[in-house]
């Protein structure tokens, strides 16, 4: 601040003249609000994304619909990284849709290599059945099939 001449005879008044107050209440409110939002997100996330069973049914349904419409790009994109490395896009229908058009009939929670997976039961238009394995890999992904 300058010590020069002032318009009035007094020095400039200090900006904060009151007694300082501790901000504990504000800090506790911010921390409490953050914790409440974090808990709300953790509880609400399954409501938004759906349960693992719902996700497995949804991705399997889209996968089967893509195969039925010969949309190999979509079907290939729904495979896990391991299956995309193993198969070419043109090989997906022969590997995953041997019985024509498929329909999801059920899901079973299971475990493979120590990781949770969903086994999705599929009924084919030719009367056969198979099981798709759905894993969580940046979202639900189809990662294998077994007949019978």
């Amino acid at each position: 601040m300058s010590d020069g001449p002032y318009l009035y005879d007094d020095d400039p008044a200090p900006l904060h003249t009151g007694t300082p107050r501790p901000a504990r209440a504000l800090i506790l409110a911010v921390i409490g609000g953050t914790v409440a939002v974090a808990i709300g997100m953790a509880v609400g996330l399954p409501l938004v994304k759906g349960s693992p069973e719902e996700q497995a049914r949804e991705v399997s349904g889209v996968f089967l619909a893509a195969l039925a419409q010969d949309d190999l790009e979509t079907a290939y994109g729904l495979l896990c990284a391991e299956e995309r490395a193993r198969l070419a896009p043109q090989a997906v229908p022969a590997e995953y849709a041997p019985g024509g058009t498929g329909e999801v009939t059920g899901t079973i929670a299971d475990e493979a290599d120590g990781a949770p997976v969903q086994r999705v039961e599929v009924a084919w238009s030719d009367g056969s059945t198979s099981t798709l394995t759905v894993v969580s890999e940046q979202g639900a992904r189809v990662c294998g099939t077994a007949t019978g």
Side-chain angles (χ1 to χ4, degrees), residues 85-131:
R86 185 177 73 84
L87 295 171
Q90 295 77 20
V92 173
E95 181 79 19
Y96 281 91
T101 304
E103 181 182 335
V104 174
T105 58
T107 60
I108 301 168
D110 200 2
E111 193 172 291
D113 298 327
V117 299
Q118 295 292 321
R119 307 282 184 197
V120 179
E121 299 164 352
V122 178
W124 297 98
S125 58
D126 69 355
S128 64
T129 61
S130 66
T131 304

Side-chain angles (χ1 to χ4, degrees), residues 5-129:
Y6 300 107
L7 184 58
Y8 300 104
D9 291 337
D10 298 339
D11 289 338
L15 296 176
H16 303 286
T17 59
T19 307
R21 294 181 294 168
R24 279 191 209 113
L26 177 62
I27 292 171
L28 290 175
V30 168
I31 290 171
T34 304
V35 169
V37 167
I39 291 171
M41 291 295 290
V43 170
L45 192 59
L47 297 175
V48 175
K49 288 180 68 176
S51 68
E53 294 85 10
E54 291 168 338
Q55 290 180 33
R57 272 184 178 274
E58 183 70 27
V59 76
S60 298
V62 171
F63 180 75
L64 295 172
L67 288 176
Q69 297 173 4
D70 292 325
D71 183 358
L72 299 182
E73 183 179 344
T74 300
Y76 189 74
L78 292 172
L79 293 175
C80 67
E82 181 181 326
E83 288 293 287
R84 284 195 308 267
R86 185 177 73 84
L87 295 171
Q90 295 77 20
V92 173
E95 181 79 19
Y96 281 91
T101 304
E103 181 182 335
V104 174
T105 58
T107 60
I108 301 168
D110 200 2
E111 193 172 291
D113 298 327
V117 299
Q118 295 292 321
R119 307 282 184 197
V120 179
E121 299 164 352
V122 178
W124 297 98
S125 58
D126 69 355
S128 64
T129 61

